[in-house]
Amino acid sequence: MGLFAILMTSCDDFVEIDPPNDQLTGVVVFDDATTVNAALIHIYTGLRDQALVNGGLSGISFLLGLYTDELDLYSTTLPDARQFYDNALLSSNNSVQDLWGNGYNLIHATNAIIEGLKGSTALPQDDRDHFLGEAHFLRAFTHLHLTGLFGELPYLETTDYVANSEAEKEEVHSVFSKVIADLERAKTLLPMNAGSEKVRPDRWTASAILARVHLYNGQWEQAWAEAFDIITNGSYSLNTNLEQVFLNDSPETLWQFSVGSTGANTYEGHTFIFTSGPPPTTALSDHLMGAFEEGDARKVQWIASITDGTDTWYHPNKYKLNTNSGTTQEQSIVIRLAELYLIASEAQAHLGNLDEALNYLNPIRERAGLDPLGMMGQSDLLDAIQQERRVELFTEHGHRFFDLKRTERANSELSDTKPNWEARDVQLPLPESEILLNPNLLPQNEGY
């Protein structure tokens, strides 16, 4: 698919820039900062509206919430989502295909930008570096999520159609190494601060995703160093008022998606909020509701209840608006400071620095109105950190699934609560249609 075709699939402009549609093909796009910027904007719009981390029914907040134990499905008209909820995925599942296909389409677009910018001599160096930094960041971010879902897969770094159509899978550690290399490159190129709206990544954002991938990769020292730098030197702070954590001007936000039109709010609001029962689509599961400690203010501030007088259901209420509010108040947050506190805590616990680990875990608990935890053994502390991640990051971009997978807790925690859960389910099936196009993707993931 060409760059023009990929970029034109989005629904609306990411910010108030009208991309010159007749200049988004060929080398011309890379001779002018406005057109390169427009190309990048369309990639962000694709992430927000269609690919992987979108807040709608095709995004991983919804699909992986169903797949694990965060959400119950009530809709009878979403067969692909039903397969996720029943842990009965087929390789022909349309949502699985979209996760893969939309992700790789955006990767192709980032590669087109990287190749074009490397061959451009017309742009000022500062603009060129900034745009290259964003493209390397986006390529890493997308591959990271894809390998979290599918396991071994190709890391594509070219727009060469023949090479990509024959690309072979790489082991996960190899994908992680390339993700880290792209993010390190992005850190050297991105500006220190990309703007007060936080809708474009900067060096702090790249550092935050580096902290996440180092954690996933078991590189505790590196995860700690990135998280510590952000917590200590970044211009971010934990929002002490839980009601305000997900507002678009929250000091806790490192990166969020622009909503694209004045007064609009998040797709998450449309996806999760309902006002009467039974729920039309989904509701929070009893398993998640039972995970909160007594007195946890997050259960009050970030969850809403709906009753019909007989039964009661619950929905995520982190984002509280599902209509146009005249002035935008909420934008979908991709990464926020609380996660960095939890990364710092987990890294220090693995390093054996248990006192230090508690110093980063307890501020998250205390903000929620819970008592700080005292000294305990390493194993118990790691359990406590995972518990805190569960109730802090619920329904945010699949954290529950990725955490259960990387800590090898998925089978023990989901086999009792999800009747059809099998060990194979820690990876999604590779899309059948992609294997037919590229047999080098064989073998299919085990069990499918």
Side-chain angles (χ1 to χ4, degrees):
M1 183 181 293
L3 178 61
F4 177 82
I6 292 169
L7 298 181
M8 293 302 102
T9 58
S10 56
C11 298
D12 47 51
D13 297 337
F14 193 72
V15 293
E16 292 181 5
I17 295 176
D18 293 324
N21 294 345
D22 61 337
Q23 296 182 34
L24 286 175
T25 57
V27 71
V28 178
V29 70
F30 304 108
D31 290 337
D32 181 80
T34 301
T35 53
V36 179
N37 189 51
L40 282 163
I41 284 168
H42 278 78
I43 296 175
Y44 292 113
T45 306
L47 280 172
R48 183 196 69 202
D49 292 353
Q50 299 164 333
L52 293 166
V53 290
N54 78 82
L57 300 181
S58 61
I60 57 176
S61 295
F62 175 70
L63 293 172
L64 295 184
L66 293 172
Y67 198 58
T68 57
D69 54 1
E70 292 184 326
L71 297 172
D72 287 332
L73 183 65
Y74 286 84
S75 173
T76 60
T77 60
L78 297 171
D80 292 319
R82 173 61 60 178
Q83 288 184 21
F84 273 85
Y85 184 58
D86 290 341
N87 302 112
L89 284 174
L90 300 176
S91 60
S92 57
N93 184 285
N94 291 316
S95 293
V96 169
Q97 171 64 51
D98 288 344
L99 289 170
W100 178 286
N102 288 335
Y104 273 111
N105 281 347
L106 293 184
I107 288 168
H108 183 93
T110 62
N111 286 335
I113 290 172
I114 291 170
E115 291 172 2
L117 287 170
K118 287 181 177 179
S120 173
T121 58
L123 284 176
Q125 189 67 40
D126 286 348
D127 287 342
R128 182 176 173 274
D129 287 348
H130 186 167
F131 293 142
L132 270 174
E134 290 194 59
H136 280 281
F137 172 87
L138 289 164
R139 184 168 73 184
F141 180 82
T142 308
H143 277 106
L144 175 62
H145 283 79
L146 286 171
T147 200
L149 294 170
F150 296 101
E152 295 181 358
L153 45 71
Y155 199 97
L156 301 186
E157 299 176 276
T158 179
T159 60
D160 185 297
Y161 173 77
V162 174
N164 288 343
S165 66
E166 299 173 348
E168 297 183 357
K169 294 187 293 186
E170 300 185 35
E171 294 182 359
V172 171
H173 72 84
S174 175
V175 175
F176 278 163
S177 293
K178 291 183 177 181
V179 166
I180 290 167
D182 263 341
L183 290 171
E184 292 284 7
R185 177 68 171 151
K187 274 187 70 175
T188 67
L189 295 170
L190 287 168
M192 187 63 70
N193 188 322
S196 60
E197 293 185 356
K198 303 174 184 177
V199 296
R200 303 287 279 269
D202 54 25
R203 291 185 192 178
W204 298 112
T205 318
S207 184
I209 302 301
L210 267 171
R212 183 189 290 178
V213 69
H214 284 312
L215 189 80
Y216 287 6
N217 210 24
Q219 297 170 304
W220 314 123
E221 290 279 7
Q222 295 94 322
W224 155 251
E226 298 291 349
F228 176 77
D229 188 33
I230 295 165
I231 293 167
T232 305
N233 300 314
S235 58
Y236 311 98
S237 60
L238 289 178
N239 201 323
T240 57
N241 187 336
L242 288 174
E243 287 190 274
Q244 298 177 2
V245 168
F246 293 90
L247 295 179
N248 62 2
D249 59 355
S250 173
E252 188 168 327
T253 300
L254 276 80
W255 180 34
Q256 61 191 354
F257 291 137
S258 172
V259 293
S261 59
T262 302
N265 292 288
T266 68
Y267 286 117
E268 285 87 346
H270 289 281
T271 298
F272 294 127
I273 294 173
F274 56 92
T275 57
S276 62
T281 305
T282 190
L284 291 175
S285 71
D286 291 340
H287 306 296
L288 177 61
M289 295 301 297
F292 289 88
E293 296 175 51
E294 184 176 353
D296 192 329
R298 290 169 293 199
K299 192 172 182 179
V300 176
Q301 299 296 342
W302 292 355
I303 294 174
S305 62
I306 303 295
T307 183
D308 64 359
T310 302
D311 296 311
T312 301
W313 302 271
Y314 302 89
H315 69 73
N317 205 36
K318 291 178 171 179
Y319 300 102
K320 305 180 189 308
L321 300 172
N322 64 347
T323 60
N324 190 296
S325 55
T327 300
T328 295
Q329 299 179 42
E330 298 171 345
Q331 300 181 108
S332 180
I333 297 170
V334 187
I335 191 164
R336 56 190 179 91
L337 189 64
E339 182 186 345
L340 278 302
Y341 270 76
L342 293 168
I343 289 173
S345 180
E346 187 174 344
Q348 288 288 19
H350 278 288
L351 291 168
N353 303 320
L354 306 188
D355 280 339
E356 192 71 3
L358 286 169
N359 287 338
Y360 291 95
L361 180 64
N362 281 330
I364 304 300
R365 290 180 55 82
E366 291 170 330
R367 178 174 72 169
L370 299 174
D371 292 334
L373 297 177
M375 183 54 62
M376 62 187 77
Q378 184 186 52
S379 178
D380 288 340
L381 181 52
L382 288 169
D383 287 344
I385 292 166
Q386 292 307 313
Q387 161 64 15
E388 207 60 39
R389 288 181 67 91
R390 183 181 187 185
V391 294
E392 176 71 24
L393 302 172
F394 70 92
T395 64
E396 291 184 51
H397 305 307
H399 279 291
R400 174 69 169 160
F401 173 76
F402 296 129
D403 286 342
L404 290 174
K405 179 176 180 176
R406 68 182 177 83
T407 60
E408 299 183 346
R409 298 166 182 246
N411 292 338
S412 61
E413 295 208 22
L414 296 179
S415 58
D416 289 338
T417 59
K418 302 285 289 185
N420 296 324
W421 179 266
E422 298 180 25
R424 69 168 192 174
D425 294 336
V426 293
Q427 293 181 155
L428 307 189
L430 301 177
E432 179 182 61
S433 58
E434 298 296 331
I435 292 176
L436 291 173
L437 291 171
N438 179 12
N440 287 333
L441 296 177
L442 290 170
Q444 173 63 275
N445 284 339
E446 185 177 355
Y448 293 102

